[in-house]
Amino acid sequence: MTNPQSSDHPGLTDPTLLDKIDRLFACNVGQYISLPQLVVVGDQSSGKSSVLEGLTQLPFPRDSGLCTRFATQIIFRRAKEHSVRKISASILPSSDASEEKKAALQKWTWDKDGSFDPSEFSQVMGEVQSLMGNLGQLDNSPISTFSKDVFRLKICGPDEEHLSVIDVPGIFENTTPGLTSKADIQLVRDMVLDYMGNPRSIMLTVVPANVDIATQEIIELAREHDPDGQRTIGVLTKPDLVDEGAEKRVLDLLHGEALILKHAEDEFGRTKPWDTVSPDRYGINSLRLCLQEVVIDNSRMSFSEVRLEIMKRLKSRKQALKDLGNERVTPEQQRSYLLDAVARFQEIVSQGLSSNYGMDDIFDSHPNLRLATLVMRRHTVFAGDLSFWAHEYNFKTETDINNSNCDEVDNAEEAPPTLKDEHLAGSNKPTECIRTRKTANMEDLAEILHECTEEVSPKEGETYKWLTKVFLSSRGFELGTFNPSLLATTMRKQSAKWPNFTLGYISDIITYVHRFILIALEVACVDQRVCRRLKARLMDNLLSKYQDAIKHAYFILGIERDGTPLTLNHYFNDSLQKW
């Protein structure tokens, strides 16, 4: 490719910078980081291939019915050390290709000195299509007609100008029998959108002049991804097919009065009405010079950000590699790795239990490792819940009783509750609820933890009525006192909510502990495969210990609620007799 105009603009190109970006593309860095690039987009039959041929001077094959079935990256570089043009071709596999396919595509290369002739270029493109696996015959192959792999063509020579361009398949809405399917429509659309969505890409948007530009989907897509038009260059093709009388509309576009379109084909450029277009806004040479300037400006502006992003990712990957530890080929190396993980785990456990969080930054990035604090906070909540929520009835103090002005009951066996009791029982105070669990279930523990329940606030003003009923239904032949079993009966009724609060509490503690163990294990053992195996080895033992904790909670509940009430408080009998 030669360009006589470029000799007047020696400062437009920066081959060293462009070569760096090309090497990043060759290493498939573009799959992970947005690289500056020039992408040619357009609908099928928009004249995109003609523009590419004019820019690259390459004979793109047109006998297949589909101009482009995969993305093609074409790189031109001036190399004074070469006496003739040198062409090299390779394939960059897509990120979702199988390892076998990646190996086969990366192995393929093609080289030649000189120029392409149409038949030779067509043969190479056919070979590339076969390697990618898209033969283009739906009756013979279930494979898609299009591929996400990238065909890379590099052309170096003493007369080449510095330019890189990526051609992607043209978007289409209707299938071609024997060539495309409905799945291909979406695949191509996604591929084009992926390239257009790169914030560092320049979109060379090709639109035929003989259609209504405003209705072209590729223009709408360009607007969506580049609302300000900062990285969109429009190219109008096929001006010879414009209906008579519609030339003014196209000229308005070229003058920037309707859309951001910068260049037109060099057809009828010297004839009316196209001779009104400025010379730097029509023709392949003008477009090529503009693109060289745009590409280098975009690369200069973006490269510092690209370098910074690469350095950040490299640093992150190096740290991840370091975290994986040394080689673990021999049994000794494997034991050493596991011992290091155990030591790290024990260190985290020790600091987490002693609340010595300032010794390790890991407690800042993983708040759930602050185990002592979480457990202590749950202790406090549990104590409050038991004190205010976990009894069935609210007992009145002596002061409350003296201020209640309750009528004296003459016949306790037959007397109904007092009016004061009725008023309290039927008050308008809303019923409040509280959840007995404060944490969500973990999948590993779903079968052993107690379900979360909602408990209402203790009943107000019904205590006397309840105790009266219990007393009358428990009388025996005792004289001047009451049946001792009455205390056990009332205690069990008054503590009916204890099991749900207690089991909710112990379930939360188990959840805190289990989450702590899993996070500490992941921190200590970065290798996820080894971490999963260690977890599997520990799981049965952990579940057994959690179940033991729940059994112990049941045991304590049984002692407190089912046994004979006992206290060593010597004031108890005096207070009881007084009441």
Side-chain angles (χ1 to χ4, degrees):
M1 178 181 72
T2 59
N3 182 8
Q5 295 187 36
S6 64
S7 59
D8 298 331
H9 300 272
L12 288 182
T13 60
D14 188 341
T16 303
L17 177 59
L18 296 179
D19 285 339
K20 288 179 180 178
I21 294 174
D22 290 340
R23 288 199 296 271
L24 292 176
F25 270 111
C27 296
N28 258 347
V29 172
Q31 293 184 3
Y32 312 100
I33 295 175
S34 297
L35 296 176
Q37 58 190 6
L38 173 65
V39 184
V40 183
V41 295
D43 296 344
Q44 280 189 5
S45 304
S46 62
K48 189 159 59 76
S49 295
S50 297
V51 174
L52 281 169
E53 282 190 8
L55 284 174
T56 65
Q57 300 298 308
L58 294 175
F60 281 82
R62 304 191 183 189
D63 56 351
S64 62
L66 291 172
C67 298
T68 308
R69 301 183 183 182
F70 42 80
T72 302
Q73 183 186 24
I74 308 172
I75 303 164
F76 291 92
R77 291 292 178 266
R78 177 176 294 179
K80 292 294 186 180
E81 65 273 15
H82 298 326
S83 58
V84 296
R85 167 185 270 194
K86 290 185 176 294
I87 305 172
S88 61
S90 59
I91 302 175
L92 302 179
S94 65
S95 57
D96 56 359
S98 65
E99 293 301 322
E100 182 180 0
K101 183 179 179 181
K102 283 182 180 179
L105 294 180
Q106 289 172 342
K107 184 179 179 181
W108 182 87
T109 58
W110 186 89
D111 300 277
K112 182 193 175 181
D113 292 348
S115 300
F116 266 136
D117 61 67
S119 61
E120 191 174 27
F121 195 12
S122 179
Q123 181 182 352
V124 171
M125 296 289 275
E127 186 177 347
V128 170
Q129 288 180 14
S130 298
L131 284 168
M132 291 183 178
N134 40 357
L135 305 178
Q137 297 294 332
L138 295 182
D139 348 338
N140 301 334
S141 172
I143 301 175
S144 171
T145 312
F146 296 86
S147 174
K148 296 180 182 179
D149 306 313
V150 179
F151 174 52
R152 190 169 188 267
L153 196 64
K154 187 168 185 177
I155 302 172
C156 301
D159 300 319
E160 308 300 331
E161 295 298 337
H162 297 280
L163 180 66
S164 296
V165 60
I166 298 177
D167 177 34
V168 295
I171 59 175
F172 59 98
E173 296 181 357
N174 300 313
T175 61
T176 302
L179 288 176
T180 59
S181 66
K182 290 183 177 180
D184 290 329
I185 296 176
Q186 189 61 44
L187 187 150
V188 170
R189 183 182 179 86
D190 291 342
M191 187 190 312
V192 173
L193 290 179
D194 185 54
Y195 279 96
M196 297 178 74
N198 177 357
R200 297 181 181 127
S201 67
I202 300 297
M203 296 178 287
L204 187 63
T205 309
V206 181
V207 183
N210 61 325
V211 300
D212 185 358
I213 309 297
T215 63
Q216 289 294 291
E217 184 180 15
I218 197 66
I219 292 293
E220 187 62 32
L221 294 176
R223 281 172 170 166
E224 290 177 6
H225 290 89
D226 182 30
D228 298 329
Q230 295 300 314
R231 53 189 186 89
T232 304
I233 297 179
V235 177
L236 287 177
T237 60
K238 305 181 181 180
D240 55 318
L241 299 181
V242 175
D243 294 335
E244 186 175 352
E247 295 90 348
K248 184 180 184 302
R249 174 180 57 84
V250 179
L251 291 174
D252 289 342
L253 294 174
L254 291 172
H255 293 145
E257 296 179 11
L259 290 173
I260 305 174
L261 295 175
K262 305 280 185 71
H263 290 273
E265 265 189 309
D266 191 14
E267 295 185 25
F268 307 103
R270 302 299 181 186
T271 61
K272 293 185 179 299
W274 310 112
D275 57 352
T276 62
V277 179
S278 174
D280 66 345
R281 306 269 318 251
Y282 70 82
I284 285 296
N285 286 336
S286 167
L287 177 60
R288 185 185 301 119
L289 186 62
C290 171
L291 294 181
Q292 288 175 345
E293 183 176 0
V294 168
V295 166
I296 191 60
D297 286 346
N298 184 46
S299 299
R300 285 171 177 162
M301 188 168 50
S302 304
F303 193 72
S304 59
E305 296 178 359
V306 170
R307 181 191 301 175
L308 181 61
E309 192 171 342
I310 290 175
M311 295 305 295
K312 286 183 178 179
R313 284 182 173 256
L314 279 175
K315 183 178 179 180
S316 173
R317 293 300 92 195
K318 286 179 179 178
Q319 183 60 47
L321 187 62
K322 180 181 178 181
D323 292 339
L324 289 176
N326 299 322
E327 282 187 312
R328 303 192 293 274
V329 179
T330 66
E332 290 77 13
Q333 291 173 334
Q334 294 168 0
R335 279 193 293 270
S336 176
Y337 175 79
L338 289 176
L339 286 174
D340 289 342
V342 169
R344 176 64 171 142
F345 180 83
Q346 183 60 38
E347 180 184 19
I348 295 173
V349 171
S350 176
Q351 293 169 347
L353 292 178
S354 62
S355 65
N356 194 12
Y357 309 133
M359 298 298 294
D360 199 320
D361 293 339
I362 199 67
F363 292 100
D364 293 329
S365 56
H366 294 81
N368 286 321
L369 288 178
R370 298 175 177 247
L371 183 60
T373 301
L374 292 172
V375 171
M376 196 62 206
R377 185 183 301 162
R378 189 63 179 90
H379 285 341
T380 305
V381 172
F382 178 52
D385 287 350
L386 282 183
S387 176
F388 296 103
W389 293 88
H391 41 279
E392 191 71 17
Y393 297 93
N394 265 340
F395 276 77
K396 298 294 183 180
T397 65
E398 184 174 3
T399 303
D400 295 333
I401 296 297
N402 292 335
N403 294 334
S404 65
N405 296 321
C406 292
D407 295 334
E408 201 172 280
V409 179
D410 295 328
N411 189 345
E413 185 170 355
E414 298 178 359
T418 65
L419 293 177
K420 184 65 174 177
D421 287 334
E422 290 281 9
H423 172 71
L424 289 173
S427 68
N428 293 325
K429 180 182 178 181
T431 301
E432 298 178 6
C433 296
I434 188 173
R435 297 170 67 87
T436 57
R437 289 282 305 275
K438 316 302 179 185
T439 63
N441 263 344
M442 296 183 68
E443 184 178 353
D444 294 342
L445 310 176
E447 295 182 2
I448 68 170
L449 297 185
H450 191 261
E451 293 183 0
C452 178
T453 62
E454 286 192 353
E455 302 296 338
V456 298
S457 57
K459 298 174 183 176
E460 298 279 357
E462 300 184 27
T463 310
Y464 180 77
K465 178 180 177 181
W466 164 58
L467 290 177
T468 300
K469 181 178 179 181
V470 172
F471 174 74
L472 294 177
S473 63
S474 304
R475 295 176 68 179
F477 295 107
E478 61 275 353
L479 182 63
T481 182
F482 55 88
N483 190 337
S485 66
L486 183 63
L487 292 178
T489 302
T490 54
M491 177 64 184
R492 184 169 180 80
K493 177 64 175 177
Q494 181 71 342
S495 63
K497 300 176 185 176
W498 285 15
N500 283 341
F501 278 101
T502 303
L503 295 173
Y505 157 77
I506 200 67
S507 296
D508 283 348
I509 297 298
I510 290 173
T511 301
Y512 289 142
V513 171
H514 190 65
R515 187 184 295 150
F516 173 88
I517 291 174
L518 294 186
I519 296 175
L521 193 61
E522 291 174 358
V523 172
C525 184
V526 179
D527 190 318
Q528 295 184 1
R529 181 174 59 88
V530 177
C531 185
R532 286 194 298 268
R533 292 187 177 184
L534 287 175
K535 176 186 172 183
R537 293 289 297 270
L538 293 173
M539 200 63 193
D540 289 342
N541 191 33
L542 288 175
L543 292 178
S544 176
K545 292 185 180 299
Y546 299 153
Q547 289 169 335
D548 288 344
I550 294 174
K551 289 178 182 177
H552 197 68
Y554 274 112
F555 171 75
I556 295 176
L557 284 169
I559 293 294
E560 294 293 331
R561 300 187 66 242
D562 300 336
T564 302
L566 174 66
T567 180
L568 298 179
N569 185 344
H570 62 279
Y571 293 110
F572 177 77
N573 284 331
D574 294 340
S575 300
L576 184 63
Q577 290 300 324
K578 180 180 178 181
W579 285 105

